């Protein structure tokens, strides 16, 4: 028996909140990725790890907020807790691999394509692993073509977002990129949901696993708290907000004393712009005969 699927049981509330969560995670993650390209090598892994966790938490939270509005008429839906949180780990790890590639190789060429592909596959893997955590009295079936389209959307969105992060054009540029990324991630989610159909078994056996209400608190409180802390880091880092590189002045570079360089620079400046005095032809100091 074919089940009736409803992905908007709460109207537009869950899609809008889910979209905002995807934008928030994307904005924080992209700013951290941008910041990693402007700091010394020793600080780069920390910023990239923070960006990976932000994007992974944002898209994971987006997915399960959207799933709060998903119902199948004729059967209750439960979730396997371990698989649900395994999808979070998969999202963070795969997104992290893509971000680290771009962070160290640059947002261009082969590195951008590879990083965007892996990040997009991480987003898609999180989605379908999260769907596999559902427990209901039925079988989930997918349309292969629509699933492929959702994966392509995820990879394209991730590649575009990482390219935008590599441009380092300021805070507003990253906000715009995060809005596009949130739209693409949400589009990927609902494209994947459009590929789903449920075939009900019609048995009386109760489904096993955690209910959505039991998963709601740990699912939202933890990632939201993390995203809030990451947002505080972004807010109190002026270079991260302004998008200006932290390039040390020449006089502060190791091995070049500041006062020596300044003195040499000023001396060179004076020598360059000092006007030449005309050579005076002085007469002989020998007394002249009158």
């Amino acid at each position: 028996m074919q089940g009736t699927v409803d992905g908007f049981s709460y109207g537009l509330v869950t899609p809008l909140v889910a979209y905002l969560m995807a934008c928030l995670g994307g904005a924080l993650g992209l700013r951290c990725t941008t910041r990693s390209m402007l700091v010394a090598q020793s600080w780069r892994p920390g910023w990239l790890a923070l960006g990976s966790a932000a994007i992974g938490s944002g898209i994971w939270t987006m997915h399960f907020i959207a799933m709060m509005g998903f119902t199948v008429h004729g059967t209750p839906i439960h979730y396997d807790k371990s698989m649900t949180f395994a999808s979070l780990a998969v999202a963070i790890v795969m997104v992290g691999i893509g971000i680290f590639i771009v962070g160290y190789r640059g947002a261009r060429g082969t590195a951008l394509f590879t990083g965007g592909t892996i990040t997009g596959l991480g987003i898609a893997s999180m989605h379908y692993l999260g769907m596999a955590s559902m427990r209901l009295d039925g079988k989930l079936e997918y349309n292969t073509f629509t699933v492929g389209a959702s994966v392509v959307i995820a990879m394209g969105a991730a590649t575009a977002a990482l390219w935008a992060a590599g441009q380092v054009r300021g805070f507003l540029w990253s906000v715009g990129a995060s809005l596009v990324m949130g739209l693409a991630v949400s589009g990927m989610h609902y494209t994947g949901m459009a590929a789903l159909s449920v075939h009900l078994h019609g048995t009386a056996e109760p489904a096993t696993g955690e209910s959505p209400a039991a998963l709601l608190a740990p699912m939202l409180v933890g990632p939201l708290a993390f995203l809030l802390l990451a947002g505080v880091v972004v807010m109190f880092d002026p270079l991260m907000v302004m998008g200006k590189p932290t390039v040390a002045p020449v006089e502060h570079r190791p091995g070049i004393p500041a006062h020596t360089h300044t003195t040499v620079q000023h001396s060179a400046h004076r020598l360059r712009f000092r006007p030449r005095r005309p050579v005076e032809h002085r007469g002989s100091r020998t007394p002249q005969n009158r």
Side-chain angles (χ1 to χ4, degrees), residues 27-251:
L28 295 177
L30 293 179
R31 291 310 298 163
C32 291
T33 304
T34 298
R35 187 69 169 90
S36 71
M37 299 177 182
L38 306 175
V39 296
Q41 292 285 341
S42 59
W43 288 94
R44 186 170 297 178
W47 284 110
L48 292 175
L50 182 61
S52 305
I55 294 178
S57 299
I59 61 177
W60 182 81
T61 306
M62 171 267 158
H63 171 83
F64 283 99
I65 288 179
M67 291 306 295
M68 291 296 101
F70 177 79
T71 58
V72 179
H73 297 286
T75 180
I77 299 177
H78 302 273
Y79 291 88
D80 180 83
K81 193 171 184 178
S82 59
M83 189 173 292
T84 297
F85 288 102
S87 65
L88 173 61
V90 169
I92 293 176
V93 170
M94 292 194 68
V95 169
I97 294 174
I99 286 180
F100 268 78
I101 291 175
V102 171
Y104 279 95
R105 298 295 183 180
R108 59 186 181 275
T110 305
L112 176 62
F113 176 78
T114 304
T117 299
I118 296 176
T119 301
L121 291 176
I123 296 173
S125 299
M126 180 280 306
H127 172 84
Y128 290 105
L129 186 58
M131 295 297 295
S133 69
M134 290 196 306
R135 299 292 181 264
L136 69 162
D137 185 25
K139 179 182 178 181
L140 304 181
E141 298 176 348
Y142 293 94
N143 179 276
T144 305
F145 177 79
T146 311
V147 169
S150 68
V151 174
V152 171
I153 291 174
M155 291 190 297
T159 303
L162 292 177
W163 174 81
Q167 300 307 301
V168 195
R169 296 185 181 178
F171 182 71
L172 294 179
W173 176 268
S174 291
V175 169
S178 66
L179 294 177
V180 175
M181 183 177 182
L183 182 62
V185 170
S186 299
M188 175 268 160
H189 172 84
Y190 287 105
T191 301
M193 297 305 295
L196 174 67
S197 60
V198 180
H199 181 75
L200 297 179
H201 295 156
T203 62
E205 297 178 0
T208 59
E210 297 288 338
S211 65
L215 282 177
L216 182 62
M219 181 177 62
L220 296 181
V221 173
L224 281 175
F226 170 77
L227 291 174
L228 179 62
L229 292 176
V232 171
V233 173
V234 173
M235 289 175 58
F236 286 94
D237 187 351
L239 291 173
M240 199 168 186
V241 173
M242 299 301 296
K244 296 180 180 179
T246 56
V247 179
V250 177
E251 58 268 23

